[in-house]
Amino acid sequence: MNPDQIPKSYDAPATEERWYRFWEERKFFAASDGSSAPRFCIVMPPPNITGSLHMGHALTNTLQDIVVRWKRMQGFNTLWVPGTDHAGIGTQNVIERQLAKKKIHRNDLGREKFEQIVWEWKEQAEKTIHHQLRRMGFSCDWSRVAFTMSPQLSRAVREVFVTLYEEGWIYRGEYMVNWCPRCTTAISDLEAQHHPEQGHLYYVRYPLQNSGDSVTVATTRPETMLGDTAVAVHPDDDRYRNLVGKILILPLLNREIPIISDSIVQKDFGTGALKITPAHDPNDYQAGLRHQLPLVQVIDESGKMTAQAGPYSGLSREQARQKVLHDLKEQGFLIKTEPYSLSVARCQRCNTVVEPLVSTQWFVKIAPLAEPAIAALETGRIRFIPANYERVYFEWMRNIHDWCISRQLWWGHRIPAWYCEACGRMLVSRTDPERCPHCGEAELRQDPDVLDTWFSSALWPFSTLGWPEKTRDLELFYPNSVMMTGFDIIFFWVARMIMMGIHFMGEVPFGTVFLNGLVRNEQKQKMSKSKENAVDPLEIIDQYGTDAVRFTLAVMTGAGSDIIFSTDRMIGYRSFANKIWNAVRFLLLNLPEDASPVSADEARELASGRSLSTVNRWILHRLNAIVAEVNEDLGKFRFDESSNALYHFFWHELCDWYLELSKPVLNLKSGEDHEQTIKTMIYVLDVSLRALHPFMPFITEDLWQRLPHQGESITVAPYPMPDAGLTNPEADREMNQIIDFVTSVRAVRSENNLDPARKLPVELVVASQQRHQLQRYQPAILALGRLSEIRLVEAFHEDGNHLRGFSAMGEFALVAETEVDRQSELERLKREVAKIREEMERQTRKLSNEDFLRKAPQPVIDLTRGKQAELAAKLEKLSAELTRLGG
RNA sequence: GGGCGCUUAGCUCAGUUGGUUAGAGCGCCUGCCUUACAAGCAGGAGGUCCGCGGUUCGAGCCCGCGAGCGCCCACCA
């Protein structure tokens, strides 16, 4: 082949552009539901439609794609549904931020106009997703990108809501919920993130009515005192026993509040007296219910003080705190202030401090739904990888609280409940009602709230397959084969999918849950947009190529551990891509015009025939071992092991040894060995490319198409499977000896700084059997050791310029033309002797231990004995050499 | 307050049921433009496997205690 036809190095962008177009046009990735093949399905978690794809998504989705490509090549009928669920707060925030740039608030637009804007924006977002999926090399069915707000998925959401409502699992009620004053919506417990922050503990004196006495309470949130409706003390607290039932005067507002007795108070915290603010603290709310205390709401939905806060009305929470403190101090009620570390809840989406507020919300009574979901893991119908996350799951599921599903947002699935203006009754319905079924009036007002994003996400494994219709997809691909996602959303998503799946499908949504770690940056920090340390995967792809990025992600995905994003590794695997490119290039430059593909059967025939050289037998043996390992590791989701095995094999066995050993054969240009070596090489590279394809889709396709191959695309070519007919331990042993010999020669040469460009003769003293082998491999050894000739001798010339070396094949001497640095060679030998002595010592100690001889298994003892003998022999030779050099 | 995890080479990490001299990539040092690849090739240095104790013929791995770090959950003012 003309060398100009294949460039000297891998050009990722050109290759990528060519092949994703090709795949897209051929529609290789569409599921063919007519086939009787075994099925494999992954429903993909959402790529981030709200902005650029982030590294976490890139990781999860890459791992999924590796598995899907692997399964597809194995002949599975695969379906991979990509999609996005952005029916909620995240999306609304993105849109609001965009509007804010134009100085528009959503209130200026009104709900309908706002929704319209999101729909327009969604068109663009879908294009973005499509682009991202392509760049990452994902083999999903492009035509099936699922979008939660689509009419079909909306229908599924409504169906689930109404069914759960009818079954009594959904209820509406007034409770204290986490409220984000910036998003002006309720959020679930999970969305409120607690972090320790440095604050203060304020001691405030509340005077007793008609008395000079007072009670001092400690609080971290002085502004909430405006809403206090009691002060509580512990029933067993002697200090306050006779004060229970007395009345206190709330400072600043001069309201009368009672002293009550309740065991939620901890006697030894603060002063032992606790102010009770039922409207602004979950514990106090409960206490308020127990003691029938009034609710005094002093903070409103947007975090401003209400009219109830008297003179503080209209101030923000923060301003009110300052003013309250100022006033308390001025009027002598603030006793002292201590620094105090407290846990502050912030909104997951916008980081605003969450305000507990009482409001009417929709809830899912979730404990009963959780039970079968717990059982699914207990009985092993669902299995987590790594398994230790099962414990986390159990812990949460067994202590699960009712799930607040309503959100006061403008974007999302609207709750299908209507209120009749005429009779005031509520109606929950699958279809938009025309009129009230109770009184017949048409004046119906739909509940303004929307559902939590995760409510619709929970339906993903079946809603994306067409449910509630009984579709063919659903029949074929439910339950999904495997769920792959980050461990950080076990509760948000995985647990809820399991509950909903079991409840509505009567069957678990997937059998295996694979959880990958987080992607961190080189300082080990979590990558996040708010910290501005996030890396855009598409930019990294521009820099290193998709194949290198995918391979890096795979190789760094250890079992259950986070991955540290490293540019160095990326560079290394970009080099690997180049290595692959050049290995194939090497073959192409040596390929006869009429070369044809080599099938697995042909390869087996070659391997079982008599004439195939040991080198070729050896590489087929190694190839087969790697294929077996990769399949096994991928089955266990060991992406690191499988990719590493391929990397090591390709670079350090195939390229470093096999191709080098084959060069002398290829130079022959003809003959049986030449012909068979070409065939072997075609086969080995073909199999290697197919084995690598799930990890590096682009380069493998490109090279595979250039090699003799069978089939339209490597994407639909069979994945290599182990074949016992290729194993050959004999060839493996023999080659290892040659490799060891060449390595020893090189080491001696290198350690003595002998210029490799200068060809040196080597003399060998060897046993007869090895002599035969050495003759056979002479050309390869000459080439790899950069030697001019090999002389097989019975005994060495006693020449001072001979450098002795040892390998399993025998003792050898390099004949140097110049004076050898005797001193440094002596030192080197001495160092080596010391090392061997030490090692021998260890073996001897073992063998002189009677317990070891009595209790250790025989193979271990034999191994130790053999090793000791080997070391002894080597020591003897080294000592002789030392003597010879006059040491 | 509960739970989970981590600590191995300068850096990032493997090390599967305990058994050869604890490995890899990057980095470092030395020598090479050898007609696939300098994004390359060959060779080399570098480790008290966090500490202490225990089990065992034998421990990086199992058990106990301790130290440091990280994460998750939980309503403690």
Side-chain angles (χ1 to χ4, degrees), chain A residues 178-426:
Chain A
N178 300 298
W179 186 276
C180 174
R182 203 227 48 97
C183 306
T184 60
T185 178
I187 58 179
S188 73
D189 292 345
L190 281 175
E191 289 165 300
Q193 309 237 296
H194 294 261
H195 294 292
E197 286 180 25
Q198 204 46 242
H200 295 92
L201 193 57
Y202 303 97
Y203 289 76
V204 184
R205 191 170 59 84
Y206 288 17
L208 209 56
Q209 193 179 37
N210 303 326
S211 156
D213 259 347
S214 63
V215 171
T216 300
V217 299
T219 179
T220 54
R221 299 192 56 200
E223 71 278 12
T224 62
M225 69 162 287
L226 303 169
D228 284 2
T229 53
V231 166
V233 296
H234 196 273
D236 301 335
D237 197 334
D238 293 334
R239 292 173 294 177
Y240 300 109
R241 195 178 292 274
N242 49 19
L243 290 180
V244 174
K246 300 268 172 64
I247 301 298
L248 293 167
I249 304 297
L250 186 65
L252 308 181
L253 296 183
N254 295 323
R255 240 186 16 242
E256 294 178 4
I257 58 172
I259 298 177
I260 60 171
S261 158
D262 197 299
S263 50
I264 61 158
V265 183
Q266 291 193 354
K267 286 191 287 183
D268 49 0
F269 187 91
T271 61
L274 172 64
K275 66 193 251 335
I276 301 290
T277 321
H280 297 289
D281 182 279
N283 281 324
D284 295 5
Y285 179 72
Q286 292 302 325
L289 290 177
R290 282 196 294 276
H291 298 273
Q292 287 95 45
L293 299 171
L295 279 173
V296 177
Q297 187 181 348
V298 292
I299 301 169
D300 71 10
E301 287 74 10
S302 52
K304 291 254 181 2
M305 303 310 284
T306 65
Q308 297 267 35
Y312 305 93
S313 163
L315 296 178
S316 72
R317 292 178 292 176
E318 295 75 18
Q319 290 167 331
R321 175 175 300 180
Q322 291 315 311
K323 192 153 191 301
V324 164
L325 284 170
H326 175 265
D327 293 351
L328 285 171
K329 198 171 179 184
E330 200 159 69
Q331 297 175 31
F333 293 111
L334 187 62
I335 305 291
K336 63 170 173 176
T337 304
E338 290 175 351
Y340 188 73
S341 169
L342 64 156
S343 165
V344 177
R346 288 176 177 275
C347 171
Q348 186 192 39
R349 303 323 273 247
C350 72
N351 212 34
T352 304
V353 175
V354 165
E355 187 63 43
L357 282 187
V358 174
S359 59
T360 302
Q361 303 288 347
W362 291 87
F363 293 86
V364 178
K365 207 184 291 176
I366 203 130
L369 291 173
E371 272 171 38
I374 292 170
L377 266 85
E378 282 171 341
T379 57
R381 276 181 296 146
I382 298 179
R383 181 170 75 99
F384 278 21
I385 298 174
N388 54 310
Y389 285 111
E390 292 186 2
R391 216 183 149 125
V392 179
Y393 170 88
F394 284 134
E395 188 63 28
W396 189 74
M397 292 290 272
R398 286 175 180 145
N399 298 299
I400 201 163
H401 298 329
D402 284 2
W403 173 19
C404 174
I405 50 169
S406 47
R407 298 286 181 277
Q408 290 66 47
L409 299 172
W410 284 2
W411 179 246
H413 295 284
R414 196 84 177 258
I415 288 179
W418 286 263
Y419 307 96
C420 176
E421 300 285 6
C423 70
R425 295 222 261 195
M426 186 180 79

Side-chain angles (χ1 to χ4, degrees), chain A residues 734-884:
Chain A
E734 196 172 323
M735 278 316 302
N736 282 335
Q737 286 196 336
I738 300 294
I739 287 171
D740 179 65
F741 180 75
V742 171
T743 305
S744 302
V745 170
R746 282 166 170 174
V748 170
R749 177 200 282 284
S750 187
E751 278 159 13
N752 290 284
N753 279 335
L754 296 180
D755 181 0
R758 209 167 45 207
K759 308 270 182 172
L760 297 170
V762 62
E763 289 188 347
L764 291 146
V765 176
V766 287
S768 57
Q769 188 202 340
Q770 269 96 351
R771 175 181 291 239
H772 172 68
Q773 278 188 29
L774 284 165
Q775 270 165 341
R776 197 135 60 90
Y777 291 104
Q778 195 158 322
I781 293 170
L782 287 176
L784 296 182
R786 319 233 71 219
L787 306 166
S788 61
E789 62 172 308
I790 293 179
R791 292 196 296 267
L792 296 171
V793 295
E794 295 301 326
F796 289 120
H797 300 289
E798 284 308 322
D799 183 326
N801 283 343
H802 282 191
L803 288 163
R804 295 284 171 82
F806 310 97
S807 91
M809 291 191 80
E811 195 173 356
F812 62 88
L814 287 179
V815 182
E817 287 169 0
T818 50
E819 195 71 24
V820 164
D821 184 345
R822 199 169 278 235
Q823 204 52 43
S824 72
E825 177 64 3
L826 269 174
E827 274 166 34
R828 191 184 70 81
L829 285 170
K830 279 179 184 163
R831 274 202 308 275
E832 192 152 343
V833 165
K835 224 156 93 184
I836 289 175
R837 283 235 167 87
E838 198 184 316
E839 182 53 31
M840 249 181 84
E841 186 68 25
R842 212 175 326 192
Q843 307 307 322
T844 311
R845 227 179 301 135
K846 265 194 199 176
L847 288 168
S848 57
N849 182 341
E850 278 185 35
D851 279 333
F852 175 72
L853 295 177
R854 205 170 56 240
K855 293 180 181 171
Q858 198 54 44
V860 174
I861 296 174
D862 292 345
L863 213 63
T864 312
R865 285 224 172 92
K867 210 168 93 185
Q868 199 199 24
E870 199 180 298
L871 286 165
K874 200 162 177 188
L875 189 61
E876 196 182 321
K877 284 179 189 162
L878 280 170
S879 303
E881 178 67 2
L882 261 176
T883 315
R884 189 178 73 85

Side-chain angles (χ1 to χ4, degrees), chain A residues 588-600:
Chain A
L588 290 174
L589 297 177
N590 286 286
L591 207 59
E593 291 292 324
D594 58 347
S596 54
V598 179
S599 70

